[in-house]
Amino acid sequence: MKAFEYVRAEDAAQAPGLLAEGGKYLAGGTNLLDLMKLQIEAPAQLVDLNRSGLAEITETEEGGLKIGALVRNTDLAAHPRVRQEYAVLSRAILAGASGQIRNRATTGGNLLQRTRCPYFYDTNLPCNKREPGTGCGALAGFSRPLAVIGTSEHCIANYPGDMAVALRVLDATIQTLKADGSRREIPIGDFHRLPGDTPHIDTVLESGELITSVTLPPPLGGQHIYLKARDRQSYAFALVSVAAVVTDSGARVAFGGVAPKPWRVESAEARWNEGAQAVTDAAFKDARPTAQNAFKLDLAQRLVQAVMNETQSAGTPEGGAA
Amino acid sequence: MTHTTSHGSTDLQLPRSVRVELTVNGQPKQLELDPRVSLLDALREHLHLTGTKKGCDHGQCGACTVLVGGKRLNSCLSLAVMHDGDEVTTIESLGTPDDLHPMQAAFVECDGFQCGYCTPGQIMSALGTLDELERGIPSHVTADLNTVEYSDDEVRERMSGNICRCAAYPNIVRAVRSVHEGGQE
Amino acid sequence: MSKFDSPAGINPLDQEKVLARPHARKEGPLKVTGQATYAYEYSADPDLQGTTYGYLVGAGVARGQVTSVDCSVAEAMPGVLLVLTHENMPAQGASDTPVPQEDDATPQMRSAEVDYYHQAVAFVVAETFEQARAAAGALVIEYDNRTAEGDYVLAEVMEDAEKAGSDEESKDQQVGDFAGAFRRADVQLDVTYTTPYQSHAMLEPHASLAVWDEAGEELTLYTSNQMVHWVHRGISKTLNVPQKNIRIVSRYIGGGFGSKLMFYGDAVLSAVAARTLGRPVKCALTRPQIFNHTSHRPATVQRIRFGADGDGRIHAIGHDSYSGNLPGGSAETASHQTKLLYAGENRLVRQRLSELHLPPGGSMRAPGEAVGMLALECAVDELAEKLEMDPIELRVLNDIGYDPEKGPERPFSSRRLADCLRRGAEEFGWEQRSAQPGERRDGEWLIGLGVASAFRGNLVKPSSATLRLEKGGKITVETQMTDIGTGSYTILGQTAAEMLGLTLDDVEVRLGDSEFPKSSGSGGSWGANSAGTGVYYAAEELRKKIAKAAGYDPKKAVFKDGEVWEDNKCTLLGVVAAKAPEPLEATVNATFGDLNKQYAQASFGAHFCEVGVHRVTGEIRVRRMLSVAAAGRIFNPVTARSQCLGGMTMGVGAALMEELHVDGELGLFINHDMAEYHVPVHADIPDLDVIFLEELDDKSSPLKGKGVGELGICGVGAAVANAIYNASGVRIRDYPLTVDKILAGWASRSGSQGR
């Protein structure tokens, strides 16, 4: 970990003004400090947001919720209205990390969680996301946990988080404060970038831009389900996860673990009544899996099938076991 | 073929030390710390409270679990300076070998450990778990998010951030249950 | 010197007043309060508060040569005291292999050569941990990178494999005419299983704190190590410092599982740096370094062949195991147990070894059996299915009371395999199993049951101990033996207490210090039995001295209730101690004769598992498990049960998730942290049952016990795999059994890509 200057922001509004060249905001620290210890991140300055407010959940005029960027994962998942009306969000958060980490990890920070690709995590190894121009070790190497769609020839890293997958089906928007004091709203679907030929840039945030809150539109009703398949039963990143909200008028579904961002294809949702295969065939039409991670396509379809089985009482096709 | 491993440029100036005031196990502590010092290393290396363990230093094992403001966290994933003014509770505050806290006594009684290295973290996490259950915080295995009740499965899920490679898991679950039941009487 | 060379007769341990009874761990209160001190933590001692921090830098390439290390920036950084590289390392003892070898020299940075990824190439020492870590990150290291010249994939080199070695475990077993008998058999099975590289992943990283005297002649090394006498001699040979000038302290060890049988860069480089600087230095390997810098369990490819008659009698049994290691490293002896476990008059069992340039392979909990049984016990399940036999009946039918190679003249010292299988079947409800896979269901879950035998060879090693009668009448036990969570403190205390008629509280046990008599150390499940034998003989000797001091006939003396008795006279031990002109103590080195040559010796058991496989997603859940074990006298049912729970859980890990993935181009274990190398967490493990069958093995040791610490892992993963087959109908021969392989199995069966 390189030396850095530590600055505490007492007020979110002043935070962008405190941020120096090469600086970073520090919220829960559960991802940033992990990366700094490995010198994958090496900010010259940290602006600590933990005392800057932004930890409230308030109702919006439209009947939705505005979640402060510093609201901890535990508090968000346990919020009474989130549990009752945005259960997919509670479920997604609770499927991730551990109790200890959720007590610290924040709403804003979680959106910025970086990939778990093992090549990204070792500074000796080629990784275009960590060090542009060094190549992608995963493409010809170990790719089992990585993305199957939305990738490029430069990077097949996946977004590892759970919370954002639920935010994606809920059509959340992200509010930010820029360095120049202006504010903007970013739909969650536009927030994470695909790697293209600049895989080192994960999101559309500009330099110094601060996430201040995340807003949920009014509740959708319906059944909220988050299924996560992983290599052990808890405390592991998703191989594939599915966030689904199923209402009388239709279904929304987004996938985690499969792409550089929460993966949602609205046109695939329209095929919900045609069955799981129709949904995933449409959602993963342009998938380019490796030999090691092609199973994620099958698994995604099966998780959708499991969601359908859970939401329908009858007519549950076998998964192939019988 | 030449291969270079370098970790980039570096700074030659001494990192400024920062003043950090913590209340640790009820005792006020003033420290002058390099801002890079994790809460874990502040406890172990500066306050010599070595009961809190470093297993992975990356939030992947839970051995460093302490309570801050009564809530459990991985002390390796926090800078000490982030906790200026906070109350920190470590294993050392609970009991002594001759006068064990009920959770410590239950771990001994149920053989909830072998090598002992994850144990302080398991115990602090168990206290956090019982508190979170008490406060109605749901978990991944809570069937109805609005009804949170104690069960062994709830304990297993909530304690999953504490890895025990000796795998005293069934015994730990038994120890936590016995404390829960003791607290119910 | 006392030698165990004939079966044990009745002895004071048979009273079982303290031994063989449940006792909470002696050191438990220290561990649960955070007061047990592990190696890295001794610097909290006021005398050691000037301790400096070492940070190891591992090679960034798998193979090649360091061509330059630019330390200029690092050395100018705040607090930096020293940068060690191959260029400024003092002379060290040599080793002819990069693989650490028991008590041999294990030099670090002896040359510029890089033999494996994360081999030490530099060591930075600074006033603080943060400074050392930052300076390590500022080194600029250049390599002549020859990674492309190395072999990293076992399957690509195993055709050229050679015989693994000439030791007992490695040599071929060829009995009868295997090829002919296999060819003629009514029922044949010929299957190949693979097991992956695995990591010990103990919770405490390898850590050392080195302190020299002012003259730089005498070293105290606090280090986390299972084998005090090996690291003692090995460090001596590495540093070229006489062993008498070195003290090793390893009182508490945060898990080892074989990883800490050897020592690594943290120990050697801390010692070298501390001597250079004249200040104490400590270093813990970082978690991401551990996976490549230290050892691992090698991967295997195992071909198993059975030829049986229609009744299920095995007439031909073949097991070939292939593994790889760096030059000079040893094989994973995965077929060894097959020499002894089942009957069959025609046998061909072989171990083969290839050269690979991955990091050094070593011992991990039950080397050989742990992965050998994963393959063998699934193959038995497959054979049972072919024969349309119950897999328990097949195992019982082929049970054998003697070494199948040597014949009835080499019987097993004790062997209750069939009893374990039968008892387990009864307790677990084996009759609920449907022989046809996929027939039982619970909601969305397909339910299956699986069984496997457990087998672990019984090993014993010489071990010595000192027992001393203290003034108050209490006993102190001192030995180099370690407690890695196995229960040594408690078991040795129980043994001494039983021998001297005391309670466990009357015995203080001091371990893990080279100042004490040399011991077996902890490994291979030999610890409790071997170190206990050292304590037993020392106690015998001390009993004589106490009796004499009390004026009694040592042959007639009886020890009970804190007193020594002869007929109706008695004296409190405290009184004997108070009156003795000099301290009464005995130091004895216990050795073992050839009873393990005369008798085949092993612990046996049976594992039972119930799993659920989600009928749609293929996800797997372990629902219930039971292990039944017969391992001679169980010295402490509490700690022995916990050892079994640990083995069973590690077996679940081996079955379902544990795998170090190799990048075959870059030559390293790529998933080198605890987020990506998955070991079981609480949520993976249901309540587990363990049953110990009564057994005394008088040919194993005077304690009449056998190894139990590794028995729990041997075979258990196969029981899980067999249960998965029974649930899902998918037979996976490539461990671990992850969800993608279940789906692939379903897809290949339906021929429709599983959609």
Side-chain angles (χ1 to χ4, degrees):
Chain A
M1 187 185 288
K2 289 195 190 175
F4 55 82
E5 186 193 13
Y6 175 84
V7 179
R8 186 177 293 134
E10 303 292 344
D11 174 2
Q14 63 163 221
L18 293 172
L19 196 73
E21 176 79 26
K24 274 194 171 285
Y25 297 116
L26 173 66
T30 51
N31 189 212
L32 181 57
L33 295 174
D34 168 35
L35 295 169
M36 285 170 64
K37 289 178 185 193
L38 298 165
Q39 253 176 242
I40 296 162
E41 298 272 13
Q45 180 216 34
L46 287 180
V47 176
D48 183 353
L49 302 171
N50 283 287
R51 307 281 161 86
S52 69
L54 303 181
E56 302 281 299
I57 300 175
T58 55
E59 314 239 340
T60 65
E61 285 175 14
E62 295 78 25
L65 287 180
K66 184 177 172 188
I67 304 154
L70 266 289
V71 172
R72 310 283 166 183
N73 280 176
T74 299
D75 299 329
L76 180 54
H79 188 274
R81 275 202 61 195
V82 176
R83 284 197 236 189
Q84 284 160 22
E85 295 172 343
Y86 304 96
V88 69
L89 179 56
S90 285
R91 290 289 180 198
I93 291 170
L94 296 171
S98 67
Q100 291 95 314
I101 290 174
R102 292 193 298 270
N103 280 344
R104 288 301 291 169
T106 65
T107 307
N110 203 309
L111 287 169
L112 298 172
Q113 183 176 6
R114 307 211 66 190
T115 186
R116 290 292 324 179
C117 175
Y119 298 86
F120 177 76
Y121 258 83
D122 186 334
T123 52
N124 291 318
L125 306 183
C127 173
N128 287 324
K129 185 183 275 298
R130 191 189 64 250
E131 205 177 337
T134 54
C136 173
L139 261 175
F142 175 60
S143 58
R144 180 176 179 272
L146 302 177
V148 295
I149 195 163
T151 55
S152 75
E153 61 188 311
H154 303 291
C155 182
I156 59 169
N158 59 344
Y159 172 76
D162 294 291
M163 182 192 77
V165 185
L167 292 177
R168 184 71 182 87
V169 287
L170 294 170
D171 275 339
T173 55
I174 295 156
Q175 288 76 47
T176 68
L177 176 60
K178 290 196 197 182
D180 64 5
S182 64
R183 293 176 183 271
R184 67 164 165 161
E185 302 235 342
I186 307 168
I188 177 83
D190 297 340
F191 184 76
H192 295 98
R193 290 179 70 263
L194 296 182
D197 55 8
T198 53
H200 58 293
I201 306 169
D202 286 357
T203 72
V204 298
L205 285 186
E206 295 169 12
S207 174
E209 189 172 5
L210 173 73
I211 299 173
T212 54
S213 58
V214 174
T215 300
L216 303 179
L220 295 165
Q223 285 177 271
H224 287 224
I225 296 172
Y226 190 79
L227 298 182
K228 178 176 179 179
R230 39 187 161 174
D231 280 328
R232 64 184 174 196
Q233 289 190 46
S234 188
Y235 204 23
F237 293 98
L239 293 166
V240 181
S241 67
V242 176
V245 176
V246 183
T247 64
D248 292 342
S249 59
R252 295 184 183 189
V253 57
F255 299 88
V258 293
K261 60 190 291 184
W263 194 253
R264 181 177 172 197
V265 177
E266 277 83 346
S267 60
E269 294 168 355
R271 306 186 63 181
W272 189 259
N273 291 331
E274 296 169 47
Q277 184 171 346
V279 173
T280 50
D281 280 356
F284 293 99
K285 185 164 63 75
D286 299 320
R288 288 197 309 175
T290 66
Q292 288 180 15
N293 66 20
F295 75 92
K296 288 190 173 196
L297 299 174
D298 190 9
L299 186 54
Q301 185 200 314
R302 287 166 180 277
L303 287 170
V304 170
Q305 184 64 58
V307 170
M308 289 176 169
N309 292 354
E310 209 171 314
T311 55
Q312 301 159 2
S313 51
T316 61
E318 292 288 333
Chain B
M1 180 182 163
T2 299
H3 183 102
T4 305
T5 51
S6 156
H7 310 281
S9 68
T10 173
D11 45 29
L12 294 176
Q13 83 277 21
L14 188 74
R16 271 192 306 179
S17 69
V18 289
R19 189 172 173 81
V20 180
E21 297 192 13
L22 302 171
T23 302
V24 180
N25 302 331
Q27 306 277 317
K29 302 283 181 190
Q30 280 90 36
L31 296 164
E32 289 287 333
L33 294 177
D34 183 327
R36 293 173 293 187
V37 175
S38 66
L39 178 59
L40 172 60
D41 285 330
L43 294 169
R44 283 171 63 83
E45 306 301 323
H46 295 264
L47 296 171
H48 306 299
L49 295 170
T50 56
T52 306
K53 303 303 183 193
K54 185 185 281 191
C56 72
D57 213 20
H58 288 276
Q60 300 162 357
C61 79
C64 66
T65 303
V66 299
L67 305 182
V68 174
K71 295 179 183 172
R72 59 185 174 145
L73 54 73
N74 296 120
S75 61
C76 74
L77 285 187
S78 266
L79 299 173
V81 65
M82 291 163 72
H83 295 286
D84 188 37
D86 283 350
E87 287 194 17
V88 181
T89 308
T90 73
I91 190 75
E92 285 88 353
S93 75
L94 297 187
T96 61
D98 296 327
D99 182 20
L100 297 175
H101 179 282
M103 188 64 82
Q104 293 170 320
F107 267 64
V108 173
E109 175 64 28
C110 298
D111 210 36
F113 57 93
Q114 294 198 63
C115 80
Y117 199 76
C118 74
T119 312
Q122 297 276 356
I123 289 173
M124 298 313 289
S125 194
L127 295 174
T129 288
L130 289 181
D131 174 62
E132 285 163 22
L133 280 162
E134 186 77 12
R135 288 191 288 123
I137 307 283
S139 87
H140 176 62
V141 299
T142 308
D144 172 358
L145 286 175
N146 299 301
T147 310
V148 176
E149 286 174 344
Y150 185 95
S151 71
D152 286 351
D153 279 344
E154 284 282 3
V155 172
R156 288 186 189 107
E157 163 59 25
R158 289 162 192 267
M159 293 290 289
S160 284
N162 291 86
I163 289 173
C164 174
R165 187 58 158 160
C166 302
Y169 295 137
N171 294 348
I172 293 170
V173 171
R174 206 151 48 88
V176 176
R177 188 196 311 142
S178 76
V179 172
H180 167 73
E181 286 169 355
Q184 298 290 298
E185 281 160 12
Chain C
M1 179 102 111
S2 292
K3 190 169 187 176
F4 181 73
D5 54 7
S6 59
I10 291 188
N11 67 45
L13 298 178
D14 293 319
Q15 300 173 91
E16 295 193 351
K17 288 181 181 167
V18 190
L19 198 64
R21 288 177 184 261
H23 291 278
R25 275 167 216 274
K26 256 181 111 54
E27 81 289 8
L30 292 176
K31 286 180 173 171
V32 299
T33 54
Q35 292 187 23
T37 308
Y38 297 80
Y40 196 75
E41 298 165 355
Y42 284 92
S43 56
D45 185 302
D47 291 343
L48 294 174
Q49 286 192 4
T51 296
T52 61
Y53 292 79
Y55 198 97
L56 184 143
V57 180
V61 301
R63 208 159 150 69
Q65 197 168 33
V66 175
T67 51
S68 75
V69 183
D70 182 351
C71 308
S72 56
V73 172
E75 283 173 342
M77 285 171 73
V80 174
L81 301 168
L82 176 69
V83 180
L84 288 173
T85 69
H86 68 93
E87 287 172 1
N88 61 352
M89 278 291 282
Q92 298 173 81
S95 169
D96 50 16
T97 166
V99 182
Q101 302 289 314
E102 301 195 350
D103 58 357
D104 253 353
T106 305
Q108 305 287 324
M109 308 190 303
R110 198 160 177 272
S111 76
E113 288 299 311
V114 174
D115 297 304
Y116 55 91
Y117 191 78
H118 273 175
Q119 186 175 10
V121 291
F123 190 73
V124 180
V125 186
E127 295 285 354
T128 72
F129 171 68
E130 292 74 22
Q131 291 165 340
R133 180 176 58 191
L139 294 177
V140 181
I141 303 169
E142 295 199 4
Y143 303 89
D144 171 19
N145 185 357
R146 299 197 304 269
T147 299
E149 295 167 21
D151 289 313
Y152 309 102
V153 180
L154 177 60
E156 292 171 5
V157 295
M158 54 184 270
E159 274 188 18
D160 304 326
E162 296 183 354
K163 278 194 179 187
S166 53
D167 58 298
E168 190 60 33
E169 289 209 354
S170 304
K171 73 183 188 198
D172 292 353
Q173 183 188 58
Q174 296 195 39
V175 182
D177 169 22
F178 170 79
F182 180 72
R183 199 170 52 242
R184 289 188 299 271
D186 297 337
V187 177
Q188 296 169 348
L189 183 82
D190 182 350
V191 287
T192 297
Y193 279 78
T194 59
T195 66
Y197 299 92
Q198 296 174 346
S199 179
H200 311 79
M202 67 286 134
L203 260 285
E204 184 204 14
H206 305 264
S208 300
L209 162 55
V211 186
W212 291 85
D213 68 344
E214 278 184 25
E217 288 174 358
E218 296 187 0
L219 168 68
T220 301
L221 186 67
Y222 302 89
T223 189
S224 187
N225 195 288
Q226 300 170 223
M227 301 292 290
V228 169
H229 67 289
W230 283 359
V231 64
H232 197 204
R233 185 145 184 269
I235 286 285
S236 163
K237 290 171 81 170
T238 306
L239 301 182
N240 297 316
V241 170
Q243 214 171 321
K244 64 177 172 51
N245 288 3
I246 298 172
R247 179 182 176 194
I248 302 292
V249 179
S250 194
R251 294 188 186 117
Y252 296 101
I253 295 138
F257 311 110
S259 181
K260 294 173 182 171
L261 291 168
M262 312 297 164
F263 57 94
Y264 306 94
D266 58 298
V268 173
L269 296 170
S270 294
V272 168
R275 196 182 204 183
T276 307
L277 286 171
R279 291 178 63 180
V281 175
K282 67 175 181 176
C283 170
L285 297 181
T286 69
R287 184 56 65 175
Q289 290 171 344
I290 290 173
F291 296 83
N292 285 287
H293 177 81
T294 74
S295 78
H296 61 268
R297 189 201 299 281
T300 65
V301 175
Q302 300 178 50
R303 181 184 187 194
I304 294 175
R305 285 174 286 178
F306 285 123
D309 62 28
D311 298 332
R313 280 186 199 284
I314 297 169
H315 297 290
I317 183 166
H319 193 164
D320 293 323
S321 170
Y322 298 84
S323 63
N325 212 330
L326 283 161
S330 54
E332 181 71 26
T333 54
S335 55
H336 178 59
Q337 76 283 320
T338 308
K339 295 174 182 170
L340 291 167
L341 186 49
Y342 295 117
E345 61 276 22
N346 303 286
R347 315 180 72 87
L348 180 61
V349 178
R350 297 180 290 202
Q351 324 272 357
R352 293 294 179 265
L353 177 64
S354 302
E355 191 172 302
L356 283 177
H357 301 103
L358 289 165
S363 295
M364 177 169 153
R365 199 176 204 169
E369 286 97 324
V371 288
M373 296 290 279
L374 286 178
L376 180 66
E377 288 301 294
C378 279
V380 171
D381 205 64
E382 294 200 62
L383 180 63
E385 190 180 31
K386 274 202 161 187
L387 289 159
E388 296 181 8
M389 271 182 89
D390 181 276
I392 292 178
E393 297 309 319
L394 176 62
R395 288 178 171 91
V396 171
L397 182 69
N398 290 289
D399 193 14
I400 183 165
Y402 52 84
D403 178 339
E405 180 179 346
K406 307 266 163 55
E409 53 273 27
R410 189 177 184 234
F412 277 92
S413 57
S414 55
R415 174 170 168 134
R416 297 193 65 186
L417 174 62
D419 293 338
C420 290
L421 288 160
R422 296 262 191 245
R423 174 74 185 278
E426 192 182 311
E427 299 282 341
F428 200 67
W430 183 248
E431 76 282 354
Q432 297 162 26
R433 175 181 178 266
S434 161
Q436 181 67 31
E439 294 214 326
R440 284 184 63 203
R441 224 173 112 171
D442 177 3
E444 293 290 273
W445 297 88
L446 301 162
I447 308 302
L449 298 189
V451 66
S453 299
F455 172 99
R456 174 65 180 158
N458 183 55
L459 304 172
V460 282
K461 300 268 179 190
S463 197
S464 48
T466 295
L467 263 65
R468 188 165 56 248
L469 179 63
E470 303 293 350
K471 284 297 173 198
K474 297 196 173 188
I475 295 289
T476 300
V477 176
E478 292 174 340
T479 163
Q480 286 186 4
M481 181 60 190
T482 51
D483 189 332
I484 61 174
T486 38
S488 311
Y489 279 106
T490 315
I491 292 161
L492 298 184
Q494 289 172 265
T495 306
E498 189 80 66
M499 289 297 291
L500 288 148
L502 295 168
T503 68
L504 183 54
D505 287 342
D506 294 327
V507 182
E508 184 189 348
V509 182
R510 304 174 68 195
L511 303 179
D513 192 325
S514 62
E515 305 277 279
F516 302 148
K518 194 150 99 177
S519 161
S520 64
S522 299
S525 296
W526 64 61
N529 215 9
S530 304
T533 301
V535 170
Y536 169 85
Y537 283 124
E540 263 199 340
E541 198 59 33
L542 183 61
R543 282 163 59 107
K544 288 179 199 156
K545 290 188 176 177
I546 291 171
K548 268 191 205 156
Y552 302 149
D553 178 354
K555 291 206 175 77
K556 293 186 188 161
V558 173
F559 289 74
K560 61 178 183 185
D561 305 328
E563 297 163 331
V564 52
W565 288 69
E566 182 184 348
D567 299 329
N568 56 358
K569 303 173 292 183
C570 75
T571 310
L572 278 164
L573 294 194
V575 173
V576 180
K579 288 183 176 169
E582 56 193 52
L584 294 173
E585 68 171 45
T587 301
V588 177
N589 182 29
T591 59
F592 294 85
D594 66 352
L595 283 172
N596 57 1
K597 294 229 163 35
Q598 295 178 40
Y599 298 90
Q601 296 190 9
S603 300
F604 291 88
H607 298 295
F608 293 81
C609 179
E610 178 182 297
V611 302
V613 178
H614 194 282
R615 72 184 185 95
V616 178
T617 65
E619 292 165 282
I620 299 162
R621 301 280 185 270
V622 174
R623 293 159 60 104
R624 298 192 291 140
M625 282 173 71
L626 164 68
S627 294
V628 183
R633 175 178 272 140
I634 300 302
F635 305 143
N636 183 340
V638 173
T639 54
R641 179 174 176 277
S642 290
Q643 281 286 291
C644 287
L645 297 180
M648 292 160 78
T649 302
M650 209 176 268
V652 170
L656 299 184
M657 63 190 82
E658 292 190 34
E659 177 168 14
L660 284 170
H661 292 277
V662 174
D663 184 310
E665 300 287 316
L666 299 173
L668 78 156
F669 298 123
I670 182 73
N671 53 330
H672 51 63
D673 64 29
M674 290 183 78
E676 306 303 325
Y677 182 83
H678 297 113
V679 303
V681 295
H682 274 281
D684 292 299
I685 304 300
D687 203 12
L688 307 175
D689 283 333
V690 179
I691 295 172
F692 293 111
L693 297 189
E694 291 230 357
E695 187 176 77
L696 292 176
D697 192 321
D698 60 358
K699 286 104 183 166
S700 171
S701 79
L703 282 70
K704 302 175 187 172
K706 293 184 287 191
V708 75
E710 296 168 319
L711 185 64
I713 195 177
C714 297
V716 72
V720 177
N722 292 335
I724 289 169
Y725 175 71
N726 187 239
S728 68
V730 178
R731 178 70 72 184
I732 300 167
R733 299 194 184 93
D734 174 30
Y735 284 95
L737 281 58
T738 46
V739 63
D740 44 325
K741 296 173 189 171
I742 296 281
L743 299 188
W746 282 343
S748 69
R749 262 194 351 176
S750 69
S752 69
Q753 304 300 312
R755 297 295 184 94

